[in-house]
Amino acid sequence: MPIWYGGDYNPEQWPEEVWEEDVRLMQRGGITLATVGVFSWARLEPREGEFDFGWLDRVLDGLHAGGIRVDLATATASPPPWLPHAYPEVLPVTADGVTLSVGSRQHYCPSSPVYRRLAARLVSAIAERYGSHPALELWHVNNEYGCHVAHCYCDVSAKAFREWLRARYGSVERLNEAWGTAFWSQQYGDFAEVYPPRAMPTFTNPGHALDFDRFSSDELLDCYRMERDILREVTPEVPITTNFMGFFKGVDYWRWAKEVDVVSDDSYPDPADPDSPAYGAMVRDLVRSLGAGRPWILMEQASSAVNWRRRNAAKPAGMNRGLSYQALGRGADGILYFQWRQSVAGAEKFHSGMLPHSGTETKTWREIEQLGGELAGLDRVRGTRVPADVAILFDWDSWWSIEQEATPGEIPYVQHAFAWYRELHRRTVTADFVSPSADLSRYRAVIVPSLFVATAEALAGLDAYVRAGGRLLVTFQTGITDQDAHITEGGYLGVLAETLGVRVEEFAPPAGPDLAGTGGAPVPGTAFGGELIRGGTGTLWSEYLHSEGADVLASFEGGELDGWPAITANRRGEGRAWYVATLPDPDAMAALLDAVLSDAGVSPVLAQPVEGVEAVRRGDSVFLVNHTPAEARVTLNGAEHVLEPRGVAVLDIDGL
Ligand code: GAL
């Protein structure tokens, strides 16, 4: 089987004469998989209960005749106008009480029984009609669940929220306890008194807000499961996916990933952002990790510019290829785009396509064709795994909670994780992401950026990992609350305080600069230094920290915190645990990570990393991607390899 190559194909936007040309050009471009029908509900069911499949039959037959496989969508992401017209209660409502109208997409309340009933009927009809179509390779459920509407605050959602809470807590007394409703006279006498956290005079109860995030993710997941179960019943042998969106806050992908047969992801790094290659790599590593290391599909990317940024940079020649190889190197078995043919009407007509407005005599098409040709020769990569010695702990409960209102200081959760990831990426150390309940035993080192919400079991798991010989690096704002958003019993960090040999007395976040300001002026009080690191600067955080047995590797210098520990290390059982009370500047972080990784025995892919060159091992190959516009020279196992500007190489290391 080849590496899948293709994209979203929306033939309903074109007259039928164009479809033949589409198939011909797809063949020329090396396309093997087309995602069809993502936004076809209105065409498939033009009036309630009246289905029109004739046109889709012809599309699928044409693709099949051309040797192109189909990832067939269930078309439920954009209800046709007749639906909310007949059943206005399906329209979603924002926290401010605004009803979202028809005329774009995703205008449905995930809890709506009407939406679910009509979606289920459509999915059944599609499954019955195409379940045995010879072109069918994969089912594509809905599209980017939650992308535009991750939360709905309408009355239907309110009712569903109450049911969800009843199932979670059993009694309203238990809910009161969990939410700490003794505060501000919030005690509920009955579940009926609970509402979604709609616009309020001031801060929402943190437990209420956290549970609404969990509920909203679960409601969308229920929509997915409903469709998945219908498809599975009709075609037990056809794999099912729904496209994720990398670090997307709206839904907890750890819970979702268990429910799909193949993880797939949509990814649109900004060509104008110098951090995009590293951030893109982080997303790929998350996506691979969601599927427990199984190969995944890059379901959507842009061949060049998107249309939804303030200014939409075109991809410079070679960037699309580089980012595609990055995905392959990090475990993808498919490289797809949004979309095949660039639209001439509608809200996405300025979004690039594989086949641009300007046709085939274009840099975009030439690159599409070139990549198609290259992928056809990379079968050997398919199905292989990406080894990683390091894990980064990532948790949606912590993300939701740490970014709530009324916290000690703003911490952008993903950017914080990215600050650590970027340094690993720079030194060509591959990382997996793990959930708080993951088995960590196969990792040499684990990094825990601000695990704000942690159950006692999760903290005990981290402690056990260290005692058994693991190397653990924990940052500030970890173990602050339990799963009910209550301050951790026994003090911040819980049992991890013993693991780390420290005690957090009080938080003292500096007044900026924030993460974006790594080049900004140091803020008094966040300088730190010690034997390991001299002249460090911390951003984002500082605190009053005591060592209770840990070695102090660096202390804050100057200001109120002068002399208080900033970075510590502690032996525990067979392992060692570091605590970092600030976000070190890149040089200081580099020194710290070098120490941690060498203590953990982690080897990078390249002994001498080259700035701007990404290296990752997959199976018996090493993927090199030069993300810079200049030639680069890389030494691997004693041999030098020259990479063209934005060039790539896949080196066979079999036997080495
Ligand atoms: C995705 C979506 C596609 C298209 C694309 C544009 O979010 O799934 O349908 O809108 O973005 O970048």
Side-chain angles (χ1 to χ4, degrees):
M1 248 198 246
I3 297 285
W4 296 120
Y5 189 49
D8 275 28
Y9 178 38
N10 298 306
E12 64 269 47
Q13 294 177 18
W14 301 92
E16 293 211 18
E17 307 83 86
V18 176
W19 301 356
E20 259 175 49
E21 188 193 49
D22 282 333
V23 173
R24 218 169 3 88
L25 285 174
M26 283 183 191
Q27 289 172 324
R28 183 172 139 193
I31 276 58
T32 51
L33 187 67
T35 303
V36 183
V38 176
F39 295 107
S40 302
W41 193 343
R43 275 296 289 271
L44 291 173
E45 191 181 2
R47 278 162 299 279
E48 185 174 352
E50 274 179 41
F51 292 97
D52 173 9
F53 287 118
W55 68 276
L56 189 54
D57 293 351
R58 295 193 290 285
V59 169
L60 295 199
D61 292 349
L63 289 167
H64 179 61
I68 291 151
R69 312 284 302 151
V70 170
D71 165 34
L72 188 56
T74 58
T76 52
S78 190
W82 60 255
L83 197 157
H85 184 67
Y87 308 98
E89 71 271 29
V90 301
L91 291 173
V93 175
T94 67
D96 291 324
V98 176
T99 300
L100 301 177
S101 193
V102 269
S104 68
R105 63 176 176 186
Q106 234 182 68
H107 42 277
Y108 62 86
C109 160
S111 304
S112 160
V114 176
Y115 167 76
R116 290 188 183 189
R117 174 171 61 80
L118 295 173
R121 185 172 61 180
L122 175 69
V123 177
S124 299
I126 292 175
E128 292 298 343
R129 181 103 185 172
Y130 299 110
S132 52
H133 195 284
L136 179 66
E137 181 68 35
L138 177 69
W139 289 116
H140 183 293
V141 173
N142 196 276
N143 192 62
E144 294 190 339
Y145 274 107
C147 173
H148 309 300
V149 182
H151 301 87
C152 176
Y153 298 79
C154 74
D155 289 341
V156 175
S157 299
K159 189 162 166 270
F161 185 39
R162 290 177 200 124
E163 282 158 20
W164 186 92
L165 290 170
R166 196 189 292 278
R168 181 176 175 90
Y169 294 112
S171 70
V172 79
E173 290 73 32
R174 175 67 197 109
L175 174 130
N176 280 317
E177 211 177 289
W179 287 8
T181 56
F183 182 79
W184 278 356
S185 174
Q186 292 170 348
Q187 191 164 321
Y188 293 96
D190 192 289
F191 282 104
E193 297 165 9
V194 182
Y195 288 82
R198 295 174 176 159
M200 297 185 188
T202 185
F203 308 131
T204 307
N205 175 303
H208 189 172
L210 178 57
D211 273 343
F212 192 65
D213 283 328
R214 291 170 172 150
F215 156 80
S216 300
S217 173
D218 282 359
E219 284 299 277
L220 286 163
L221 184 55
D222 273 354
C223 289
Y224 164 78
R225 283 202 198 105
M226 174 201 77
E227 295 197 21
R228 191 253 341 252
D229 293 350
I230 294 170
L231 298 169
R232 190 154 284 164
E233 172 107 34
V234 181
T235 55
E237 71 292 350
V238 179
I240 302 172
T241 191
T242 183
N243 43 347
F244 292 170
M245 292 166 281
F247 289 90
F248 175 65
K249 192 176 178 183
V251 299
D252 178 349
Y253 284 142
W254 291 123
R255 286 169 66 76
W256 281 64
K258 297 181 200 130
E259 311 271 352
V260 300
D261 297 323
V262 188
V263 173
S264 65
D265 188 61
D266 299 352
S267 167
Y268 293 93
D270 184 355
D273 180 354
D275 270 336
S276 275
Y279 187 77
M282 174 161 97
V283 172
R284 320 289 193 216
D285 287 348
L286 172 75
V287 173
R288 179 188 65 251
S289 306
L290 288 171
R294 294 192 313 266
W296 54 280
I297 295 178
L298 175 57
M299 189 56 87
E300 290 183 21
Q301 63 172 340
S303 60
S304 190
V306 297
N307 67 324
W308 40 261
R309 295 196 170 96
R310 212 171 54 79
R311 303 188 68 79
N312 297 295
K315 282 186 173 163
M319 181 182 277
N320 174 47
R321 179 167 174 248
L323 291 171
S324 300
Y325 274 79
Q326 173 187 74
L328 276 183
R330 295 182 183 275
D333 268 2
I335 303 292
L336 281 77
Y337 294 81
F338 174 85
Q339 61 177 329
W340 161 248
R341 188 185 277 272
Q342 188 171 18
S343 300
V344 291
E348 294 188 320
K349 61 181 181 290
F350 296 117
H351 192 291
S352 59
M354 301 169 82
L355 182 58
H357 291 153
S358 341
T360 50
E361 290 304 312
T362 50
K363 91 176 188 340
T364 295
W365 174 259
R366 277 191 288 274
E367 287 195 5
I368 290 292
E369 234 185 320
Q370 179 191 346
L371 186 57
E374 290 175 7
L375 294 185
L378 281 172
D379 297 28
R380 67 180 190 283
V381 170
R382 197 185 165 94
T384 57
R385 300 283 178 133
V386 177
D389 284 343
V390 176
I392 299 176
L393 210 154
F394 192 87
D395 172 44
W396 264 263
D397 274 0
S398 292
W399 189 357
W400 291 329
S401 293
I402 206 169
E403 293 186 359
Q404 283 184 355
E405 315 153 296
T407 57
E410 268 178 30
I411 296 176
Y413 183 64
V414 174
Q415 284 91 323
H416 181 204
F418 178 56
W420 291 96
Y421 181 91
R422 185 170 39 203
E423 286 307 314
L424 294 175
H425 184 254
R426 187 171 274 153
R427 24 184 66 56
T428 70
V429 168
T430 310
D432 282 346
F433 284 84
V434 289
S435 79
S437 59
D439 172 12
L440 302 174
S441 55
R442 69 194 164 99
Y443 296 106
R444 289 177 181 272
V446 174
I447 297 177
V448 182
S450 298
L451 182 68
F452 190 77
V453 177
T455 59
E457 299 78 64
L459 296 172
L462 292 171
D463 182 55
Y465 167 71
V466 176
R467 279 190 281 110
R471 302 302 196 255
L472 182 75
L473 185 151
V474 175
T475 83
F476 57 87
Q477 291 289 277
T478 290
I480 303 302
T481 81
D482 64 14
Q483 66 279 10
D484 289 339
H486 292 211
I487 295 301
T488 304
E489 218 180 295
Y492 307 134
L493 289 166
V495 70
L496 266 193
E498 278 171 52
T499 324
L500 295 157
V502 297
R503 181 167 64 87
V504 177
E505 180 182 317
E506 188 184 342
F507 310 138
D514 64 13
L515 274 182
T518 39
V523 170
T526 54
F528 64 88
E531 257 182 44
L532 180 69
I533 297 156
R534 301 202 181 275
T537 305
T539 52
L540 202 61
W541 199 257
S542 49
E543 60 192 13
Y544 294 92
L545 179 75
H546 297 268
S547 161
E548 305 214 317
D551 298 332
V552 177
L553 303 183
S555 302
F556 290 111
E557 292 173 344
E560 273 301 310
L561 285 170
D562 191 40
W564 287 75
I567 302 177
T568 61
N570 193 42
R571 288 193 171 282
R572 171 99 161 152
E574 304 294 306
R576 198 192 286 255
W578 287 258
Y579 184 75
V580 190
T582 185
L583 181 67
D585 66 87
D587 286 345
M589 190 185 279
L592 174 60
L593 275 179
D594 284 342
V596 173
L597 296 173
S598 96
D599 190 55
V602 172
S603 335
V605 179
L606 299 179
Q608 273 113 34
V610 177
E611 193 61 33
V613 176
E614 170 165 347
V616 63
R617 176 159 175 194
R618 180 175 181 190
D620 291 328
S621 304
V622 168
F623 281 69
L624 298 176
V625 182
N626 176 8
H627 292 290
T628 76
E631 186 181 278
R633 284 163 194 276
V634 174
T635 306
L636 182 65
N637 297 321
E640 191 183 70
H641 302 273
V642 181
L643 294 167
E644 292 169 5
R646 295 196 202 285
V648 303
V650 183
L651 307 173
D652 205 351
I653 50 156
D654 205 8
L656 289 178

